[in-house]
């Protein structure tokens, strides 16, 4: 699901007072991670905040907070009657705060995530829908220069082709998060954007329905993303991502176009690595042309039609014992939709399957047990104690953690693939 910051929302004096009173500090953006997202969940870029440290509970009552929000919404152009009608009967939802504060272990292996994402049934249904919507998809490609398959893949991953768009009242969810969530500035911007959607008449008659985090429609757009990238492609005068597949697909295409999608080029592809390969090159900071990778003996598993001068990075989602992929610019565009490499890999592989291409050829190390969140935090803490600089121990295996893991693997004489394992954690414990 894509997340963008709201631009152009007016910040009035009362907004500043509200921020200082609630003293809400914005959380940093999530690091690039291979952890699969278990459901539509926020991975948005954080809004810089000038305010000081967060407190555990708001100082304002919900009614006082809503009164300040009303003033700011009206100053931002929201009709007072619409605001009052929309917020009539809105109460806080404790289940939303519980979901926002949850800390899942994320122990599901990437191969299980891929298995579910690229299931036989999802591929079969996607191919059927691709044929059914071919005229619309051609028109979308002509307008936005985005390939059919990636749009169908996003549609399938985000809402199971429109069959699961969520059941939460988006206004209630966002109001709860903006009042008492961990990133109140971000959620408040989403709430104001949702009110703008209602004022424009784009939402369904029954109100805005979506995920617990406020993602909406068949392609699960956050309100600020909707404001910037949702389009009326079926020409009915409304940007309807809930019940209009043409609007939903075209809006996703518009988003990918703005994210730098290179039409006709692959997202990436599986490769074979030569004996004695330097696995330390599987680093997102190492970008080489396809021709340069070929010169190192890195070759596609199947024939690929791609510009040899395109830059690519090598990706080992399960370490040196699992499949290897070269990732191109379009993979980065998918990451802007959802900043999880597992998600982007699933979208790429599903789009390949929809185009009739075979799945992953190399075997996954399915007997490996994944590190739990507490173990990942311990790994990070131990690496920090050994002098590696990787930031706070948050349990997210991002670029800095992988860099530190590579460095430690090199001291052990192991393949420096940056992939944390149980065996590596044991060796790390013993080294201190």
């Amino acid at each position: 699901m894509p997340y963008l910051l709201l631009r152009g929302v007016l910040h009035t004096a009362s907004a500043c007072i509200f921020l200082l009173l609630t003293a809400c500090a914005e959380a940093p953006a999530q690091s690039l991670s291979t952890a699969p997202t278990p459901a539509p969940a926020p991975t948005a870029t954080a809004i810089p905040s000038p305010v000081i440290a967060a407190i555990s509970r708001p100082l304002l009552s919900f009614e006082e907070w809503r009164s300040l929000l009303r003033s700011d919404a009206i100053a931002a152009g929201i009709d007072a009657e619409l605001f009052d009608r929309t917020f009539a009967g809105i109460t806080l939802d404790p289940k939303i705060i519980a979901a926002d504060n949850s800390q899942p272990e994320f122990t599901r292996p990437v191969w299980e995530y891929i298995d579910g994402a690229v299931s036989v049934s999802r591929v079969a249904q996607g191919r059927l829908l691709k044929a059914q919507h071919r005229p619309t998809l051609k028109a979308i490609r002509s307008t936005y220069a985005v390939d059919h398959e990636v749009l169908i893949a996003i549609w399938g991953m985000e809402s199971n082709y429109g069959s699961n768009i969520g059941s939460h009242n988006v206004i209630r969810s966002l109001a709860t998060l903006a009042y008492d969530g961990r990133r109140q500035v971000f959620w408040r911007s989403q709430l104001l954007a949702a009110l703008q959607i209602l004022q424009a008449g784009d939402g369904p008659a029954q109100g805005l329905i979506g995920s617990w985090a406020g993602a909406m429609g068949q392609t699960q757009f956050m309100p600020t993303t909707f404001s910037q990238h949702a389009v009326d492609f079926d020409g009915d005068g409304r940007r309807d991502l809930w019940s209009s597949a043409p609007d939903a697909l075209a809006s996703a295409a518009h988003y990918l176009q703005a994210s730098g999608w290179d039409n006709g080029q692959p997202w990436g592809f599986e490769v074979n690595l030569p004996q004695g390969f330097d696995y330390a090159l599987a680093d997102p900071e190492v970008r080489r042309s396809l021709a340069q990778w070929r010169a190192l003996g890195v070759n596609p598993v199947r024939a690929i039609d791609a510009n040899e001068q395109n830059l690519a990075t090598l990706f080992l989602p399960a370490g040196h014992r699992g499949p290897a992929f070269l990732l191109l610019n379009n993979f980065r565009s998918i990451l802007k939709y959802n900043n999880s490499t597992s998600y982007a890999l699933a979208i790429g592989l599903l789009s390949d399957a929809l185009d009739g291409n075979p799945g992953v050829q190399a075997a996954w190390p399915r007997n490996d047990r994944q590190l739990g969140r507490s173990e990942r935090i311990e790994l990070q803490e131990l690496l920090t104690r050994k002098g590696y600089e990787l930031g706070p121990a948050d349990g997210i295996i991002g670029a800095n953690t992988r860099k530190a893991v590579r460095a430690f693997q090199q001291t052990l004489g192991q393949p420096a693939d940056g992939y944390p394992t149980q065996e590596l954690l044991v060796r790390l414990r013993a080294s201190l």
Side-chain angles (χ1 to χ4, degrees):
M1 128 187 61
Y3 303 91
L4 286 179
L5 307 183
L6 180 64
R7 299 184 180 93
V9 175
L10 300 177
H11 297 282
T12 63
S14 58
C16 297
I17 294 171
F18 165 79
L19 294 175
L20 290 172
L21 284 173
T22 54
C24 56
E26 191 59 40
Q30 177 176 320
S31 302
L32 184 65
S33 169
T34 58
T37 49
T43 57
T45 304
I47 302 173
S49 174
V51 296
I52 55 178
I55 57 176
S56 59
R57 300 295 299 172
L59 295 179
L60 299 177
S61 70
F62 182 64
E63 290 72 22
E64 292 169 329
W65 173 88
R66 184 175 56 197
S67 178
L68 286 176
L69 176 71
R70 184 180 188 274
S71 298
D72 292 336
I74 292 171
I78 301 300
D79 181 73
E81 190 276 332
L82 180 144
F83 183 95
D84 293 338
R85 184 175 70 253
T86 302
F87 271 83
I90 291 292
T91 58
L92 297 175
D93 186 348
K95 293 181 180 178
I96 300 299
I97 293 300
D100 186 44
N101 290 333
S102 65
Q103 297 289 340
E105 283 290 302
F106 290 133
T107 56
R108 187 182 183 190
V110 61
W111 47 87
E112 289 186 7
Y113 183 74
I114 297 298
D115 289 346
V118 194
S119 65
V120 172
S121 60
R122 179 168 286 171
V123 172
Q125 187 179 2
R127 288 176 178 171
L128 183 65
L129 290 169
K130 185 177 120 174
Q132 178 182 333
H133 291 275
R134 190 174 300 280
T136 298
L137 291 166
K138 285 184 176 180
I140 291 174
R141 184 172 61 190
S142 177
T143 303
Y144 298 111
V146 175
D147 301 289
H148 301 178
E149 290 76 20
V150 70
L151 298 178
I152 299 294
I154 287 173
W155 192 19
M157 286 288 290
E158 292 294 346
S159 67
N160 196 24
Y161 305 115
S163 67
N164 182 19
I165 62 173
S167 59
H168 289 84
N169 179 324
V170 167
I171 296 297
R172 186 187 188 197
S173 294
L174 293 176
T176 300
L177 292 164
Y179 173 71
D180 200 18
R182 292 177 296 113
R183 298 181 295 157
Q184 292 155 322
V185 174
F186 170 73
W187 296 119
R188 195 171 184 278
S189 72
Q190 299 300 328
L191 180 55
L192 288 171
L195 292 170
Q196 291 175 333
I197 292 168
L198 289 174
Q199 179 147 305
D202 288 319
Q206 67 270 27
L208 302 183
I209 302 299
S211 73
W212 71 264
M216 305 178 300
Q218 298 184 37
T219 45
Q220 292 290 279
F221 273 22
M222 291 299 287
T224 50
T225 306
F226 185 106
S227 297
Q228 295 185 45
H229 293 289
V231 298
D232 171 24
F233 203 75
D234 60 14
D236 69 351
R238 295 173 56 239
R239 299 181 294 172
D240 181 6
L241 304 193
W242 293 265
S243 58
S244 172
D247 285 4
L249 292 170
S251 297
H254 189 211
Y255 187 93
L256 288 176
Q257 180 193 54
S259 300
W261 184 265
D262 190 1
N263 193 46
Q265 290 297 303
W267 58 270
F269 45 86
E270 188 180 359
V271 294
N272 291 318
L273 303 179
Q275 291 291 329
F277 183 75
D278 180 6
Y279 290 101
L281 294 175
D283 183 329
E285 296 181 1
V286 177
R287 301 188 71 194
R288 299 190 175 183
S289 71
L290 295 183
Q292 289 173 321
W293 284 114
R294 284 184 186 274
L296 291 172
V298 178
N299 293 304
V301 169
R302 59 183 173 85
I304 294 294
D305 182 15
N307 187 333
E308 287 292 295
Q309 299 311 308
N310 282 344
L311 296 179
T313 57
L314 183 64
F315 181 44
L316 306 175
H320 72 282
R321 296 191 300 111
F325 302 87
L326 283 181
L327 307 179
L328 284 77
N329 180 66
N330 284 343
F331 190 88
R332 294 172 178 265
S333 297
I334 299 171
L335 281 175
K336 293 178 182 178
Y337 207 99
N338 185 321
N339 192 29
S340 160
T341 53
S342 290
Y343 173 89
L345 181 61
I347 291 293
L349 293 172
L350 179 55
S351 66
D352 283 351
L354 293 170
D355 200 27
N357 292 310
V360 177
Q361 300 300 295
W364 294 99
R366 293 181 180 270
N367 292 327
D368 281 2
R369 185 178 79 79
Q370 303 296 286
L371 294 179
R373 182 172 181 270
S374 59
E375 291 173 315
R376 296 197 302 272
I377 290 175
E378 181 189 4
L379 176 88
Q380 292 171 322
E381 291 173 341
L382 293 176
L383 287 169
T384 299
R385 285 174 57 189
K386 287 191 70 67
Y388 300 108
E389 296 182 4
L390 51 109
D394 55 9
I396 297 172
I397 305 300
N400 289 337
T401 300
R402 289 186 178 277
K403 184 176 181 179
V405 168
R406 285 189 201 94
F408 182 63
Q409 287 171 326
Q410 288 173 328
T411 67
L412 300 175
Q414 295 181 346
D417 57 12
Y419 183 66
T421 63
Q422 292 288 330
E423 187 269 339
L424 184 78
L425 179 58
V426 171
R427 296 287 295 271
L428 190 55
R429 288 168 178 160
S431 69
L432 292 172

